[in-house]
């Protein structure tokens, strides 16, 4: 695939507003969306994604429900995961098997700040959640398992800053946390609405860590005010994720543009909020679950598999399904203290 060579001058520090999110797409947005649309016309997706029925569930959390029956029916079945430390399995589906036409371009940074991150391949997600849903892949031939690394996360955070769309988010599902392929990858996707977790203030746990309670699930919050902070934030998030794995917990990560941890009006400009969710690991499908819980659901977006569920689900039912994967409050706060001490050392 062609190289998308970028430097710090390509970062979009002030994305478009929500009033007109498509007003001025960046060079990155134009290349990604044009390539994505081209692959639609070439029939490379498992289904053709049309407008998705969407509604906000009544209630204080304002969960966004979206009907995506085709993804549920036609996506590749998730790989069985047995533990948080499953090795890469060359016999299972992995991203070395992608067709060349599924690759859009390769992200390559030149110049500062700091050493360049891993180059990332940008490939279509053949079972998309939204228009422009892509995979961000460190060199697939390295055959890395689905364990987050700081160079890969940093590359994904830089991709978030290359977009001028306010709703381009990047994220990661760990083993036991909704990952469907045990081969290192992150997701990038355009979500066409703001989320409460972009602005809500967080409780400080330490100089570099907060606890964000907005949305359906509390998350640990890291903040990068600008490009120079992406490397230390990436290392901090990965140290925290490694600690979670060491105590038997799975994780999910989402990065979104947002306010400083203290919230709007507290001083300081917008940057990247990086959220880390700690959760009980789940290996295999859970009987009776209305939907799987991964990074979108934890952030407040519910892609639902059937029309009756989409029509009838309530906020109480959705929150019950999500929160059964989470830690009890005392355990969460104890873990937050451990992470704050870890990151201060």
């Amino acid at each position: 695939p062609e190289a998308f060579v970028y430097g710090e001058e390509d970062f979009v520090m002030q994305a478009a507003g929500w009033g007109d999110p498509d007003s001025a797409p960046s060079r990155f947005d134009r290349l990604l969306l044009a390539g994505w649309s081209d692959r639609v016309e070439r029939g490379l997706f498992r289904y053709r994604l049309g407008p998705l029925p969407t509604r906000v569930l009544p209630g204080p959390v304002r969960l966004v429900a979206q009907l995506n029956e085709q993804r549920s029916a036609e996506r590749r079945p998730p790989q069985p995961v047995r533990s948080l430390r499953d090795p890469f399995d060359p016999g299972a589906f992995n991203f070395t098997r992608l067709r060349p036409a599924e690759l859009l371009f390769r992200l390559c940074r030149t110049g500062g700040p700091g050493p360049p991150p891993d180059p990332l391949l940008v490939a279509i997600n053949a079972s998309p959640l939204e228009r422009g849903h892509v995979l961000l892949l460190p060199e697939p031939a390295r055959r890395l398992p689905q364990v987050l690394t700081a160079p890969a996360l940093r590359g994904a955070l830089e991709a978030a800053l290359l977009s001028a769309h306010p709703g381009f988010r990047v994220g990661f599902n760990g083993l036991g946390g909704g990952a469907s392929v045990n081969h290192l990858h992150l997701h990038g996707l355009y979500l066409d609405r703001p989320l409460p977790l972009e602005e809500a203030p967080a409780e400080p746990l330490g100089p570099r860590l907060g606890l964000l309670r907005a949305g359906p699930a509390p998350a640990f919050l890291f903040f990068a005010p600008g490009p120079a902070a992406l490397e230390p934030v990436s290392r901090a998030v990965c140290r925290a994720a490694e600690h979670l794995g060491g105590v038997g917990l799975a994780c999910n990560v989402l990065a979104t543009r947002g306010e400083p941890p203290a919230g709007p009006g507290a001083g300081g400009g917008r940057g990247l909020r990086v959220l880390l969710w700690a959760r009980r690991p789940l290996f295999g499908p859970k009987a009776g679950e209305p939907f799987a819980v991964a990074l979108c659901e934890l952030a407040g977006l519910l892609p639902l598999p059937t029309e009756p569920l989409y029509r009838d689900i309530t906020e109480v039912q959705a929150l019950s399904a999500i929160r059964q994967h989470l830690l009890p409050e005392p355990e969460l706060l104890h873990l937050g203290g451990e992470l704050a001490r870890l990151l201060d050392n």
Side-chain angles (χ1 to χ4, degrees), residues 107-202:
L107 286 171
C108 301
R109 180 161 67 71
T110 180
D118 279 354
L120 295 179
L121 283 171
V122 180
I124 63 169
N125 187 321
S127 301
L129 284 163
E130 284 277 8
R131 177 184 75 114
H133 185 179
V134 293
L135 301 171
L136 305 173
L137 309 171
E139 179 49 59
R142 294 167 65 190
R143 301 185 169 196
L144 299 172
Q146 183 67 349
V147 176
L148 193 59
T149 68
L153 177 59
R154 184 170 171 214
L157 297 184
E158 292 194 354
L161 288 184
L162 289 172
S163 173
H165 192 288
F168 183 74
R169 282 107 177 189
V170 299
F172 171 84
N173 293 318
L175 296 177
S180 60
V181 178
N182 186 13
H183 192 182
L184 183 55
H185 65 287
L186 295 97
H187 294 267
L189 67 166
Y190 295 85
L191 300 178
D192 284 329
R193 60 184 59 235
L195 297 170
L197 48 77
E198 295 170 23
E199 294 193 342

